[in-house]
């Protein structure tokens, strides 16, 4: 059986995405329709603060991220995913430039969490919501970026925990997330973006989708979207009902096109 190696770039202070990604990959390996054995490999670069400031934004310059990508290249991974959401406030073009630079530096195809999320919501123009651990001004910057591509995320469908220390994001617990998701759904959300890979939410997506099944809710978690984006980048078909029941409806999409 073919072994598929996924390489993931991780913010240094992130403690949520690695265990969640490993759990998702374990589920992929239990999926008989995939026909692959999947392994996942990680490389870190320094990120400690998420804020709208020159010093915070400077953490996401290309070279440190390329250094991490080159280390993953030493493992001969098949694809590299940036499991971070910085493009949501820095501008979506920053991910495009990063992926191009990674491929030029390593010869390996690359994608990102935000690209995976945007693929899922392509064609959506309204009823999209945003849930983050971030501060109000960062959420507003994300809303502005989505407005630039025709996706309206109103203030009523935007919720945030008010944090900026990245390591603290993983402490945002289920009751806090449940409340934020409920509030945006009550304000008309049908698609909820969980925008932060250091939030433990991927395991909660299918619960929310079942709870609000009458709303036809789709939850697009950034950790899960990194995995789906990497498989999509390789043109791999993985649609499976058991994956969707465990990790949410995005695993029911056909990502092979």
């Amino acid at each position: 059986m073919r072994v598929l190696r996924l390489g993931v770039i991780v913010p240094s202070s992130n403690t949520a995405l690695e265990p969640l990604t490993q759990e998702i990959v374990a589920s992929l390996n239990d999926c008989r329709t995939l026909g692959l054995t999947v392994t996942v490999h990680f490389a870190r670069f320094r990120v400690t603060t998420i804020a709208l400031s020159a010093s915070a934004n400077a953490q996401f310059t290309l070279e440190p991220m390329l250094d991490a990508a080159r280390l993953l290249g030493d493992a001969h991974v098949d694809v590299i995913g940036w499991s971070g959401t910085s493009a949501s406030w820095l501008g979506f073009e920053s991910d495009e430039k990063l992926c191009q630079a990674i491929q030029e530096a390593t010869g390996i195809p690359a994608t990102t969490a935000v690209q995976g999320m945007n693929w899922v919501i392509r064609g959506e123009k309204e009823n999209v919501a945003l849930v983050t651990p971030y501060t109000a001004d960062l959420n507003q910057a994300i809303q502005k970026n989505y407005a630039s591509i025709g996706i309206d995320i109103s203030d009523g469908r935007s919720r945030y925990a008010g944090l900026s220390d990245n390591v603290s994001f993983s402490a945002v617990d289920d009751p806090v997330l449940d409340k934020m998701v409920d509030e945006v759904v009550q304000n008309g959300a049908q698609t909820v973006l969980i925008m932060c890979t250091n939030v433990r939410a991927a395991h909660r997506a299918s619960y929310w989708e079942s709870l609000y099944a009458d709303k036809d809710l789709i939850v697009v978690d950034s950790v899960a979207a990194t995995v789906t984006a990497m498989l999509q980048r390789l043109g791999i078909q993985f649609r499976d009902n058991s994956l969707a029941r465990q990790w949410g409806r995005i695993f029911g999409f056909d990502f092979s096109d």
Side-chain angles (χ1 to χ4, degrees):
M1 183 176 289
R2 177 188 171 193
V3 175
L4 179 72
R5 298 187 182 100
L6 307 180
V8 179
I9 298 175
V10 184
S12 61
S13 52
N14 189 308
T15 60
L17 81 82
E18 285 162 310
L20 284 168
T21 303
Q22 288 167 333
E23 289 179 39
I24 293 170
V25 166
S27 298
L28 288 172
N29 285 323
D30 288 338
C31 173
R32 296 182 180 181
T33 60
L34 189 63
L36 295 168
T37 295
V38 184
T39 64
V40 61
H41 312 274
F42 302 98
R44 290 175 177 253
F45 75 104
R46 185 169 297 282
V47 177
T48 58
T49 302
I50 302 299
L52 291 182
S53 68
S55 59
N57 290 344
Q59 298 170 114
F60 301 102
T61 55
L62 277 178
E63 200 53 41
M65 302 175 81
L66 288 178
D67 285 342
R70 291 184 185 102
L71 294 175
L72 290 169
D74 290 346
H76 293 186
V77 296
D78 294 282
V79 62
I80 293 174
W82 158 225
S83 196
T85 55
S86 53
S88 65
W89 65 87
L90 294 177
F92 301 127
E93 68 280 359
S94 66
D95 269 359
E96 295 171 7
K97 292 176 182 177
L98 172 64
C99 291
Q100 181 179 350
I102 288 173
Q103 181 139 7
E104 289 175 354
T106 66
I108 299 169
T111 188
T112 74
V114 173
Q115 288 182 342
M117 298 174 84
N118 288 353
W119 191 93
V120 173
I121 65 171
R122 70 199 191 289
E124 296 286 343
K125 299 298 180 186
E126 55 188 18
N127 301 326
V128 177
L130 177 67
V131 171
T132 82
Y134 305 141
T135 54
D137 59 345
L138 204 69
N139 263 41
Q140 289 165 2
I142 296 171
Q143 290 169 258
K144 183 177 179 181
N145 275 330
Y146 274 100
S148 74
I149 60 172
I151 296 175
D152 174 43
I153 302 176
S154 68
D155 288 342
R157 297 193 304 274
S158 174
R159 291 294 182 273
Y160 49 87
L163 305 173
S164 58
D165 175 29
N166 191 46
V167 77
S168 69
F169 297 165
S170 65
V172 177
D173 59 14
D174 287 355
V176 171
L177 291 169
D178 288 348
K179 183 175 186 293
M180 290 195 285
V181 170
D182 182 70
E183 288 175 353
V184 297
V185 169
Q186 299 310 322
N187 284 330
Q190 289 182 300
T191 302
V192 178
L193 305 179
I194 309 294
M195 189 68 73
C196 178
T197 61
N198 200 24
V199 165
R200 301 179 191 277
H203 68 292
R204 203 72 173 160
S206 60
Y207 165 78
W208 292 320
E209 290 172 350
S210 296
L211 184 64
Y212 302 106
D214 61 318
K215 310 290 187 182
D216 197 29
L217 187 70
I218 298 175
V219 176
V220 187
D221 173 76
S222 49
V223 174
T226 307
V227 177
T228 60
M230 286 190 286
L231 295 174
Q232 180 202 5
R233 185 70 176 82
L234 295 174
I236 292 173
Q237 171 63 268
F238 61 93
R239 181 167 49 189
D240 186 272
N241 288 336
S242 64
L243 289 173
R245 286 192 298 269
Q246 189 171 3
W247 297 105
R249 293 174 63 190
I250 67 169
F251 283 92
F253 281 81
D254 185 350
F255 284 87
S256 62
D257 60 4

